Amino acid sequence: MNVATNDIHLSALPPIAPETSEETGLGTAFLVELACKILYSGGTMALAALSDRLALPVSVTGDIAEILKKERLAEVKQGGDIRATYIYALTDLGRERAREFLKVSGYAGAAPVTISQYAEATWKQSIKKIPVTAARMAQAFEGVVLPAGLLDRLGPAVNSGRSIFLYGPSGSGKTFIAERLKVLMEGIIFIPRAIAVDSHVIRVFDPVCHTEVDIGDGLDAFGDILQGGPKYDRRFVLCERPAIIAGGELSMSMLDLCFDPGSGYYEAPLQLKANGGIFVIDDLGRQMLRPFDLFNRWIMPLERGVDYLTLRTGKKFEIPFDQVIVFSTNIEPRELADEAFLRRLGYKIRIGHLFPAEYVAICHQVCARLGMEFRQEAIRHLVEVEHERRDVPLSACHPNDILSRVEEICRYRGVAPHLTRELVIEACRDYFTEV
């Protein structure tokens, strides 16, 4: 996503780039191995290009290149007056070493950040630093028809930092409400491309989960204005606050580090990728894992704000747990967990069926969106006859589902979308399950 510098709101100052290899926190041997692997895949490369691949300043990359030369792993193919234009290539020994390094780990991307660097960046831009007010809730849900008082229950729940448990009948709008909470996630944050734990690499930035924000050279301008000149750390990617939604496909393995033997590095679990944003567990109780196991996995992170992950070597390490967790289900809470677990889940909010006035208000909105004139008598028939005779409560999903079928019938007949009692009857006939 391209954004002008004037239009962005950074949740924290940009992380400052390291000025020396020591300041990366990674160790010289790690950086030499990483540069060696990048040169192996890239062939002949200018120092500036190697710097871009490592996401490190040219000054730091130049020091690494000098070590490669000293150890006879690389050589300068072409010099010049400007250090960044020096052309480097691996020697035969360098290529042999690179193949050995790649057998251990296939990671050949941007230099990772350390756990401490990641934790510092996470807490500086914490989701808890964007308090939700009644005005912001009203703005986020502007135009959305909701039961009276619901916003005033959701707002404090988001502010609490605790989990939010939305439950109620199918079609009542729980998923829509949970997804809409993303609008409250104000600000743009920095997400690391990867994290290093000792010599192990964990990939964090994921284009599937994260939306990158491109402001060109604007971040360096922020550095000049706010920090007196230092450049920002390009090992971090500027992104929108993440909004990750997992449904019935969620498994326990997706909440733990995933090691790929083929690549030789780890993929971050979903909750780590969701840090700084919102994580919605939709359709709770329909997953392969038991809700009890899921709750048990997250009780301590939710209470303490930190999670613990385990490498395949058995080493455990602490990682920030900074996100709004929303559980959504149409199963009664006591069928999912006992009272002790439910008590620790934070806010439990029931999203029920609609009153007729709320239902009609949604019908007005759907008609406007579909380009159909709202007809009171047709909607009255829908509410008082079609729902009544089937004993189907009024749910938030029904207006869109039924009126969309009216529009589809009109399109099939080659006429402009319009609303009549007869069309409502036809739409309901093929929508509701007939008994």
Side-chain angles (χ1 to χ4, degrees):
M1 181 179 74
N2 293 322
V3 177
T5 306
N6 294 338
D7 296 333
I8 73 168
H9 168 62
L10 295 178
S11 297
L13 298 185
I16 301 305
E19 295 183 356
T20 65
S21 59
E22 288 77 16
E23 288 183 7
T24 66
L26 297 172
T28 302
F30 182 96
L31 291 171
V32 167
E33 290 184 14
L34 186 56
C36 205
K37 289 185 285 187
I38 291 173
L39 281 169
Y40 183 80
S41 62
T44 302
M45 295 180 70
L47 184 62
L50 180 59
S51 172
D52 286 340
R53 288 283 300 273
L54 285 168
L56 293 172
V58 170
S59 59
V60 177
T61 307
D63 293 343
I64 299 168
E66 285 301 312
I67 296 173
L68 288 171
K69 277 178 53 185
K70 184 178 179 179
E71 296 185 1
R72 299 180 181 178
L73 300 177
E75 58 186 349
V76 178
K77 289 293 188 179
Q78 180 181 322
D81 297 330
I82 302 174
R83 191 181 188 190
T85 63
Y86 280 29
I87 305 297
Y88 288 85
L90 292 179
T91 62
D92 289 341
L93 177 60
R95 284 188 288 273
E96 180 182 340
R97 291 284 179 82
R99 286 191 287 268
E100 293 174 1
F101 297 150
L102 286 166
K103 287 179 182 178
V104 177
S105 171
Y107 183 80
V113 302
T114 65
I115 288 292
S116 61
Q117 290 166 341
Y118 173 60
E120 180 182 3
T122 300
W123 299 130
K124 282 182 177 178
Q125 58 196 14
S126 172
I127 195 72
K128 297 179 179 63
K129 292 187 177 182
I130 52 171
V132 174
T133 63
R136 287 192 59 212
M137 286 295 292
Q139 183 181 25
F141 285 86
E142 184 178 4
V144 179
V145 178
L146 295 172
L150 181 58
L151 288 187
D152 290 335
R153 300 177 66 191
L154 286 171
V158 175
N159 273 341
S160 72
R162 302 185 182 97
S163 57
I164 303 174
F165 189 78
L166 302 179
Y167 66 101
S170 177
S172 57
K174 299 180 298 297
T175 301
F176 174 83
I177 291 170
E179 293 177 356
R180 190 79 175 191
L181 291 175
K182 180 184 184 297
V183 180
L184 299 169
M185 306 295 110
E186 187 180 62
I188 295 172
I189 63 174
F190 293 90
I191 293 174
R193 299 180 188 276
I195 295 173
V197 181
D198 298 332
S199 60
H200 304 277
V201 176
I202 303 167
R203 189 177 80 108
V204 179
F205 173 73
D206 183 351
V208 175
C209 299
H210 301 126
T211 301
E212 184 174 358
V213 177
D214 181 13
I215 60 172
D217 296 328
L219 280 173
D220 287 335
F222 272 98
D224 293 337
I225 295 169
L226 302 175
Q227 296 291 333
K231 303 297 185 182
Y232 96 99
D233 193 340
R234 292 180 292 128
R235 295 179 294 170
F236 288 87
V237 183
L238 187 64
C239 297
E240 296 180 3
R241 287 190 180 271
I244 295 177
I245 301 175
E249 77 283 358
L250 184 67
S251 63
M252 192 60 76
S253 64
M254 298 167 72
L255 305 179
D256 292 318
L257 287 173
C258 177
F259 181 78
D260 182 353
S263 66
Y265 58 88
Y266 294 85
E267 186 73 20
L270 288 178
Q271 71 273 18
L272 198 160
K273 294 180 180 180
N275 268 341
I278 184 171
F279 190 5
V280 178
I281 311 299
D282 195 24
D283 215 10
L284 182 66
R286 306 298 184 189
Q287 291 82 11
M288 294 182 65
L289 74 166
R290 297 184 305 164
F292 175 89
D293 295 330
L294 179 61
F295 294 154
N296 195 46
R297 171 69 178 80
W298 275 347
I299 284 297
M300 296 311 292
L302 285 167
E303 290 185 351
R304 297 182 179 179
V306 294
D307 194 10
Y308 292 91
L309 300 177
T310 306
L311 298 170
R312 64 178 187 147
T313 60
K315 176 176 179 174
K316 286 193 174 185
F317 61 95
E318 183 180 292
I319 203 81
F321 190 87
D322 179 61
Q323 57 208 265
V324 175
I325 295 282
V326 181
F327 299 101
S328 173
T329 183
N330 55 21
I331 300 175
E332 282 301 310
R334 285 177 177 77
E335 295 181 28
L336 297 174
D338 60 28
E339 191 59 37
F341 272 99
L342 293 176
R343 187 178 66 251
R344 302 172 79 180
L345 277 179
Y347 283 71
K348 294 162 282 284
I349 301 174
R350 179 177 177 82
I351 311 295
H353 296 298
L354 301 176
F355 290 108
E358 297 164 343
Y359 187 95
V360 172
I362 296 178
C363 288
H364 269 285
Q365 293 180 339
V366 175
C367 282
R369 180 172 56 80
L370 295 176
M372 293 191 301
E373 180 184 357
F374 179 85
R375 301 290 297 275
Q376 185 69 45
E377 64 276 12
I379 299 302
R380 184 183 298 115
H381 175 85
L382 172 59
V383 174
E384 297 178 359
V385 178
E386 299 298 331
H387 277 276
E388 287 279 350
R389 75 182 183 87
R390 293 180 173 86
D391 195 25
V392 175
L394 305 177
S395 293
C397 66
H398 290 146
N400 180 73
D401 290 351
I402 295 169
L403 297 182
S404 291
R405 281 163 174 75
V406 169
E407 188 271 341
E408 290 157 4
I409 294 170
C410 292
R411 184 151 36 94
Y412 171 74
R413 294 176 180 173
V415 298
H418 62 285
L419 190 58
T420 66
R421 188 175 68 89
E422 290 73 23
L423 286 170
V424 166
I425 293 172
E426 288 188 56
C428 290
R429 178 194 62 198
D430 297 328
Y431 174 68
F432 291 116
T433 302
E434 301 292 348
V435 179

